[in-house]
Amino acid sequence: MTAIMDPLAEEGELFMPRIAIAGFQHETNTFGATNATFADFELADGWPGLLTGAETITGTAGINLPLAGFAAAAGADSDVELVPILWCAAEPSAQVTDDAFERIAGMLLDGLRGERLDGIYLDLHGAMVTQSHDDGEGELLSRIRALVGDDLPVAVTLDLHANVTEAMVRHASSLTIFRTYPHLDMAQSGHRAYGVLRHLIGAGPYAKAFRQVPFLIPLTAQYTGADPCRSLYAALADLPPEPAVFGDIAMGFPAADIADVGASVVAYAPSQDQADRIADQMLARIIAAEPDFDARLMTAPEAVAAAMREPAGKPVVIADVQDNPGAGGTSDTTGLLSALIEGGATGAVFALVNDPEIAALAHAEGTGATIEALLGGKSGLPGQVPYAGRFAVEALSDGRFAFTGEMYAGSVAELGPMAVLRVLDPGADVRVIVSSKRSQCLDQAIFTHIGVDPTAERILAIKSTVHFRADFEPIAGCILNAEAPGTNLCRLESIPYKNLRPGLRIGPGQGVRERSGY
């Protein structure tokens, strides 16, 4: 892009837009076991820890993150100045503590205060719930508006699982939302947001339209590699070209017990009539597809038995969909592990079980040692207990390795001491990969860096819901979704909601829960 006219400058004078950039991400599972503290946002795991100032850009460069995509697009222009403030994210969990929210929001506002700006870009998630605010992003945006006024363009990227609210739409000049699950287009979404913000700086505000879908969609049914989501997102290509006109879909994060939970659509256009028409068309397509969202699950024993019936060849992937740390799970439940052992599974590897105590014990005893241990099940979830057994320590690592899959491309894992443990109970042929930090098992490097070849195994049991498909579907003979204990409940009728908006259906053909719950 070339330099644009400053409407406040002398006639014919060109100016260099100054754009503040920041990121503050959290996906909140209100049924989770632990809250997200300030220390959790400082922690490096699959993504960097809290970054401030220039490190906001340098520390995310080359990673598949929205802010990195935005900064790269801006860097290709010679006529824009970025003002980096901060970027942080915490692993999904229960509510963000008030202390963490206030401290990070305060840092962000302090970075904006006193700056001459032509625009703001924010890398947000869209499903943050804090101890005091059901709509964390809406609260953050309202504070930013109170500081900078109503006229400054504020462009925001959101996760595909965002629970979009009226406050987000009102306070943000634009919301650009991921279009893939697994989220392969995070950096691309930031790149899209840059074009939108430059349009806003030069052409003025959009007319906006916002619609909420009247039913909830389980995470397992939000996979964009299959219909109906594949077709719903493909239809976005039929809209007029960005940045003058565009629309986006958020599938929502159903593990948040708030009034605004669920899928929604947003549309932006020069006129309100056009924005409304686009939003109504997108909403109608989603409603028509309601019967096609597949929310079927197998019990853990059923999944193990089905996996063992598959012919030898490519590995069978069993997804432990409800203990996905990427959706607020503890990553330490042992229901699927027990099913593998009791079901006589052979050639099975289970990953990742988060148990820093057992990882430390394995490192203390060393490779080749035999240990007796209570593995996992230590998060205090009702009815969850550790797996008590004998294990051989087969391999160890420091948990630092480069991801090799497309989704986490460019990022380096910092998962703390890790171990491969072989279960020594009679008849068992199961190994477990243990980590010291929660991390979704979505990348083959989790296996390969510690000496396990996932392509050579008969069964890969993986704590993930959908993200694993990007790296594991190409090597899998088949994929089975198992319903084992966890806080990311995927059978929506089993969730004890209390705060749903009136009339919101909990899933295809599953009836209605009112705000009062049951």
Side-chain angles (χ1 to χ4, degrees), residues 120 122 141 144-145 148 152-156 171-174 197 200:
I120 297 172
L122 299 173
L141 286 163
I144 291 171
R145 280 297 179 205
V148 304
L152 188 70
V154 178
V156 177
H171 293 306
S173 306
S174 64
L197 184 54
L200 286 163

Side-chain angles (χ1 to χ4, degrees), residues 235-301:
L236 296 178
D238 296 333
L239 296 177
E242 296 176 355
V245 178
F246 73 100
D248 268 320
I249 302 168
M251 283 287 147
F253 186 59
D257 187 11
I258 61 173
D260 287 304
V261 65
S264 61
V265 299
V266 292
Y268 300 90
S271 73
Q272 192 63 52
D273 284 348
Q274 188 177 16
D276 286 334
R277 186 166 60 253
I278 292 170
D280 289 338
Q281 289 171 348
M282 290 192 293
L283 178 63
R285 290 191 191 101
I286 297 173
I287 292 174
E290 181 176 2
D292 301 324
F293 287 100
D294 184 2
R296 291 174 296 176
L297 300 171
M298 307 176 78
T299 67

Side-chain angles (χ1 to χ4, degrees), residues 406-417:
E406 185 177 359
M407 182 170 161
Y408 267 22
S411 188
V412 174
E414 298 279 0
L415 303 186

